[in-house]
């Protein structure tokens, strides 16, 4: 093969290799950051739920020794309802937006739509302002869904203003592409922060409710009998100690325990009649120092 042809072949091969790497890096850069952000959000919402639940029980979340995957898994029930509601509202909004834009472009009821859009934008702005003031002045009395209302108000106000802009210009927007990009970025940033705030509050509310539900559901937890070669000194009056056997084969059996969770190499037990106000959480190591039998 002539030297020139060989050089061209090597150059083309190197170019193909660089092109493959460029495509691969492009895919990684497009997928990596969203996956990283989603994982971080799942972790945070799971931690918020677990921390609120532990605090309601009078504990610190670090005692449970949850790993990252544990926080991600327990975040699912804290995110399911908000995500379903947001996606359902998005579908309805897209359908309504297409219908109104088509009527504006066709000139059917354009004046009425623009007037209603202006009034709605004003009311949405007032809703956001009042909700923000109340959240700052009276944070303890702020409703759980207040951040979601504020995010909805920002989106509705922006949407109505864009409908009015469309009705006046008969084009998609009177702004330049750069101005639209800046406006969209700012609006989405505000809405994202409000949704983050609202979902974190909801996750904490879920955690507190789960802790309170233990009071009504402790009798449905697995019953545990703990056997130990030496006294454990469990201080709860709801847990009874029974001496089993004689001599070197003596064991101490503890009744009245209910399994809460096994995490971080430790068993966490509640007891019959446990309440968040005056209940005791018993923690035992998951090793050969004790024998545990479970039954319904």
């Amino acid at each position: 093969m002539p030297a020139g042809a060989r050089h061209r072949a090597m150059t083309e091969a190197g170019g193909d290799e660089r092109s493959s790497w460029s495509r691969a890096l492009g895919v990684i850069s497009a997928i990596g950051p969203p996956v990283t952000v989603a994982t971080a959000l799942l972790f945070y919402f799971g931690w918020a739920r677990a921390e609120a639940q532990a605090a309601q029980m009078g504990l610190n979340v670090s005692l449970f020794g949850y790993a990252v995957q544990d926080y991600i898994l327990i975040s699912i029930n804290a995110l399911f309802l908000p995500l379903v509601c947001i996606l359902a509202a998005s579908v309805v909004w897209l359908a309504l937006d297409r219908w109104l834009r088509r009527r504006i472009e066709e000139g059917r009821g354009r004046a009425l739509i623009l007037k209603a859009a202006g009034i709605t934008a004003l009311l949405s702005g007032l809703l956001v302002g009042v909700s923000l003031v109340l959240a700052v002045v009276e944070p303890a009395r702020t409703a759980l869904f207040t951040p979601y209302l504020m995010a909805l108000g920002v989106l509705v106000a922006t949407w109505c203003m864009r409908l009015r802009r469309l009705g006046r210009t008969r084009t998609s927007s009177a702004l330049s592409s750069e101005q639209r990009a800046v406006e969209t970025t700012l609006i989405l940033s505000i809405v994202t922060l409000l949704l983050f705030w609202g979902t974190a509050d909801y996750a904490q509310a879920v955690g507190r409710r789960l802790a309170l539900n233990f009071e009504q559901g402790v009798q449905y937890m697995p019953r545990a009998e703990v056997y130990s070669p030496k006294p454990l000194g469990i201080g709860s009056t709801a847990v009874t100690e029974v001496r089993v056997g004689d001599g070197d084969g003596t064991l101490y059996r503890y009744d009245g325990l209910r399994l809460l969770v096994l995490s971080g190499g430790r068993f966490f037990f509640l007891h019959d009649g446990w309440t968040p106000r005056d209940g005791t959480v018993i923690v035992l190591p998951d090793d050969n120092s004790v024998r545990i039998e479970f039954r319904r």
Side-chain angles (χ1 to χ4, degrees):
M1 179 182 293
R6 187 181 303 110
H7 177 73
R8 286 195 300 273
M10 294 177 61
T11 302
E12 292 175 359
D16 291 341
E17 184 178 356
R18 286 193 297 271
S19 178
S20 300
W21 277 108
S22 299
R23 288 194 295 270
L25 290 175
V27 171
I28 293 174
S29 62
I31 297 178
V35 171
T36 302
V37 171
T39 302
L41 289 177
L42 289 173
F43 171 81
Y44 175 76
F45 293 135
W47 174 87
R49 203 220 77 172
E51 193 275 336
Q53 179 179 335
Q56 188 70 34
M57 299 173 66
L59 304 174
N60 189 289
V61 69
S62 61
L63 294 174
F64 292 94
Y66 289 136
V68 174
Q69 60 267 26
D70 297 322
Y71 286 118
I72 292 176
L73 288 175
I74 64 178
S75 70
I76 293 176
N77 65 342
L79 294 177
F80 183 76
L81 182 60
L83 287 179
V84 169
C85 293
I86 291 173
L87 291 176
S90 299
V91 172
V92 174
W93 173 74
L94 287 174
L96 182 60
D97 180 68
R98 285 196 299 266
W99 182 74
L100 290 176
R101 286 177 178 272
R102 185 167 58 251
R103 291 185 66 88
I104 291 176
E105 292 170 355
E106 295 173 354
R108 294 184 297 169
R110 187 168 66 90
L112 179 61
I113 293 174
L114 297 184
K115 183 177 180 181
I119 296 174
T120 304
L122 178 60
L123 294 177
S124 299
L126 290 175
L127 173 65
V128 174
V130 172
S131 300
L132 182 60
V133 170
L134 291 177
V136 173
V137 177
E138 295 286 345
R141 301 178 63 182
T142 302
L144 180 64
F145 51 83
T146 297
Y148 291 117
L149 283 181
M150 294 170 63
L152 178 64
V154 172
L155 284 175
V156 170
T158 305
W159 174 47
C160 290
M161 294 306 297
R162 289 192 175 185
L163 287 178
R164 287 180 58 84
R165 196 181 302 155
L166 172 63
R168 289 196 303 265
T169 62
R170 296 296 185 91
T171 59
S172 59
S173 178
L175 302 178
S176 64
S177 58
E178 181 179 356
Q179 290 173 326
R180 288 199 304 271
V182 172
E183 180 186 64
T184 302
T185 301
L186 292 176
I187 295 300
L188 289 180
S189 299
I190 294 173
V191 172
T192 300
L193 290 174
L194 290 173
L195 291 178
F196 183 89
W197 175 10
T199 306
D201 287 350
Y202 180 77
Q204 292 175 344
V206 169
R208 289 190 292 268
R209 187 179 70 245
L210 288 174
L212 293 174
N213 288 343
F214 289 152
E215 183 174 354
Q216 289 78 31
V218 66
Q219 68 270 22
Y220 302 111
M221 295 179 178
R223 187 183 299 276
E225 293 180 351
V226 176
Y227 294 85
S228 173
K230 56 183 180 181
L232 298 178
I234 297 177
S236 174
T237 57
V239 180
T240 59
E241 179 185 277
V242 179
R243 186 170 179 173
V244 181
D246 296 316
D248 295 337
T250 300
L251 292 175
Y252 295 88
R253 189 185 74 200
Y254 294 89
D255 300 322
L257 295 172
R258 302 282 182 163
L259 176 65
L260 174 63
V261 68
L262 170 61
S263 179
R266 288 172 291 182
F267 286 98
F268 292 81
F269 297 100
L270 304 183
H271 53 76
D272 292 329
W274 182 90
T275 66
R277 295 173 296 278
D278 54 7
T280 302
V281 179
I282 297 94
V283 184
L284 296 176
D286 180 19
D287 55 22
N288 295 326
S289 61
V290 294
R291 177 166 61 88
I292 305 173
E293 295 181 359
F294 299 99
R295 59 187 177 88
R296 297 188 66 177

